[in-house]
Amino acid sequence: MKITGLLSVSALALAVLTITSCSKGKFHINGNIAEAEDSMLYLENIGLDGPVKIDSVKLEKDGSFAFSEERNDAPEFYRLRIGNQSINLSIDSTETVSVKAAAPTMWYQYEVNGSENCRKIKELALMQIDLQARVNALAAAPGMGADSTTLAIQAAIDAYKDNVKRNYIFKAPMKAYAYYALFQTINLGSTTTLIFNPRSEKDDVKVFAAVATSWDTYYPDAERGKNLHNIAIEGLKNIRIAENNRRAAAIDASKVQVTGLIDLPLTDNKGRERHLTDLKGQVVLLDFHVFASDQSPKRIMALRDLYNKYHAQGFEIYQVSLDENEHFWKTQTAALPWISVRDDRGISNVYLQATPGLPAYFLIGRDNSVAKGPSQIKNLDADIQALL
């Protein structure tokens, strides 16, 4: 996933989706940059890995310029740059885009004609500049406490996101300006962050997914569309794991009885109802597990070692999946030798002792009572041996 590469480019220099035709052709960018005599004007392609110079010209006194390049099969995004001043342009097939500006203020004061996408991108850029100014003013406002400042800044960002989602992204997710909006950034102190956060905000991941789906329709083989899907999938995975951990930490310990006879009737991955009480007479590791977590493969390997080592002596594993996706759980557990069940109510409805997070396990003795909880198990191998 190439979020990092995109963030390394300036907030206005981001790859955008554009509408293209199936035939090859030339696109043209021309215009005038005043107050820039003897300056080098660069035309750069902004790819997923950052800007690449494709042409340049030394401006004469009148500041006129003209670039002509063969367009790619997939939509692309370009920028005009003098020093650290730049103008973002999306290219729609073989169109001609005209730009007029003055070098000292070209990054926010310019005219663009010949492209609706370029015009909308300019609107978004100016809105972003205004948002940054308001955030800076709130951060510097005297007499506001830290909490009030944080709330006010978040409210300004949320209002911006709502406006952009309704009037730019969801109205036309296949457009270049919708793609551009996904990767706008804002500076919060010394940190530059995406306004739409696809890593941990569920609603923002949905926005990325909407544009990715639209891209699939119009440009099914485009690398940018595949990258958007990767971002959305990774974000959903992060959110699922974070929610699972929050729910586990919020479980009421008073609802859990860690001594005495227990039962946990759940359906296994073969459709049979399994009871903990049916395992009386064996030493059981009751394992609450999330297969979608990054730590799952390593943990499963460790459990395999324990199972292979002690199963013949009367050791069993009763593993409860807390994954939301039933098909995913069945796929992950198809080859496991122990009992694999799933609680489809989710973590918040599982009566286990409150722990710092998942995974978590309990050791159950041959009398079907809990011998040790998560906080009491220091050496799992040794504790199993002692119970056997």
Side-chain angles (χ1 to χ4, degrees):
M1 187 172 61
K2 298 179 179 177
I3 292 178
T4 303
L6 290 174
L7 282 175
S8 66
V9 186
S10 68
L12 302 181
L14 297 162
V16 298
L17 178 154
T18 57
I19 301 173
T20 68
S21 65
C22 296
S23 60
K24 283 284 188 177
K26 295 274 189 178
F27 68 85
H28 307 276
I29 302 174
N30 57 44
N32 175 275
I33 307 293
E35 301 178 43
E37 184 178 3
D38 295 330
S39 297
M40 291 299 299
L41 176 67
Y42 296 95
L43 175 64
E44 296 175 332
N45 171 218
I46 308 301
L48 292 175
D49 294 315
V52 177
K53 185 184 78 172
I54 58 175
D55 204 352
S56 63
V57 63
K58 187 175 182 179
L59 296 175
E60 303 290 340
K61 186 174 182 178
D62 65 357
S64 63
F65 67 91
F67 295 115
S68 181
E69 296 290 336
E70 185 174 298
R71 71 171 184 84
N72 293 327
D73 292 331
E76 275 305 328
F77 178 77
Y78 299 84
R79 72 178 181 184
L80 296 170
R81 182 178 64 83
I82 296 177
N84 62 355
Q85 306 280 330
S86 62
I87 296 172
N88 291 301
L89 303 170
S90 66
I91 298 302
D92 184 352
S93 67
T94 56
E95 66 188 346
T96 296
V97 178
S98 298
V99 177
K100 184 178 180 180
T105 58
M106 63 183 282
W107 64 286
Y108 71 97
Q109 288 185 337
Y110 65 92
E111 297 178 12
V112 60
N113 293 293
S115 169
E116 179 199 16
N117 280 312
C118 290
R119 181 175 60 82
K120 292 285 190 180
I121 286 171
K122 179 186 175 183
E123 290 177 9
L124 285 162
L126 294 177
M127 289 164 54
Q128 179 187 8
I129 291 169
D130 178 68
L131 174 63
Q132 185 67 66
R134 285 187 286 125
V135 167
N136 292 346
L138 288 169
M144 288 185 68
D147 291 343
S148 297
T149 298
T150 299
L151 290 173
I153 289 174
Q154 190 59 55
I157 294 173
D158 288 344
Y160 181 89
K161 289 166 66 174
D162 181 66
N163 177 29
V164 170
K165 282 191 293 187
R166 287 186 294 104
N167 296 311
Y168 292 87
I169 297 176
F170 290 149
K171 269 191 174 181
M174 79 295 295
K175 294 287 188 177
Y177 55 81
Y179 193 113
Y180 172 88
L182 294 179
F183 296 100
Q184 287 190 295
T185 62
I186 190 166
N187 296 321
L188 300 174
S190 60
T191 303
T192 299
T193 183
L194 288 171
I195 294 173
F196 288 95
N197 178 3
R199 294 184 184 276
S200 59
E201 295 293 334
K202 182 182 291 187
D203 289 342
D204 293 353
V205 174
K206 292 178 181 178
V207 176
F208 271 77
V211 178
T213 301
S214 184
W215 185 283
D216 281 345
T217 301
Y218 286 86
Y219 317 105
D221 298 320
E223 183 182 358
R224 295 185 187 279
K226 295 174 183 177
N227 187 51
L228 275 182
H229 270 295
N230 289 338
I231 292 171
I233 290 170
E234 185 69 19
L236 288 172
K237 178 181 176 182
N238 291 341
I239 290 165
R240 182 170 61 245
I241 293 171
E243 287 179 346
N244 286 346
N245 286 335
R246 283 196 298 269
R247 289 169 183 165
I251 292 172
D252 185 356
S254 66
K255 295 179 179 179
V256 182
Q257 183 178 351
V258 296
T259 59
L261 192 69
I262 63 171
D263 193 16
L264 196 61
L266 291 168
T267 303
D268 70 11
N269 51 4
K270 297 178 178 60
R272 297 174 297 178
E273 185 173 86
R274 307 299 292 264
H275 293 255
L276 269 175
T277 50
D278 292 339
L279 302 176
K280 188 174 183 180
Q282 301 181 67
V283 172
V284 180
L285 178 67
L286 173 59
D287 180 51
F288 292 92
H289 192 86
V290 178
F291 285 91
S293 69
D294 292 336
Q295 297 78 25
S296 176
K298 181 178 179 180
R299 183 174 175 84
I300 292 299
M301 290 180 64
L303 292 181
R304 275 186 178 275
D305 289 341
L306 290 172
Y307 187 87
N308 293 337
K309 187 176 181 179
Y310 295 117
H311 180 64
Q313 301 177 45
F315 173 68
E316 185 57 81
I317 296 175
Y318 188 96
Q319 189 167 54
V320 182
S321 165
L322 302 172
D323 294 88
E324 296 178 3
N325 189 317
E326 181 179 6
H327 177 72
F328 173 77
W329 160 65
K330 286 184 177 179
T331 301
Q332 294 296 307
T333 60
L336 297 181
W338 53 77
I339 298 170
S340 297
V341 298
R342 174 174 167 268
D343 190 329
D344 59 8
R345 297 169 299 174
I347 293 173
S348 60
N349 291 315
V350 176
Y351 296 128
L352 67 151
Q353 189 174 23
T355 66
L358 292 173
Y361 44 64
F362 298 78
L363 274 175
I364 300 172
R366 294 184 186 274
D367 61 351
N368 199 230
S369 65
V370 175
K372 288 192 175 183
S375 63
Q376 300 167 311
I377 298 174
K378 305 304 180 183
N379 185 323
L380 185 57
D381 190 289
D383 287 339
I384 291 172
Q385 288 188 51
L387 291 172
L388 289 171

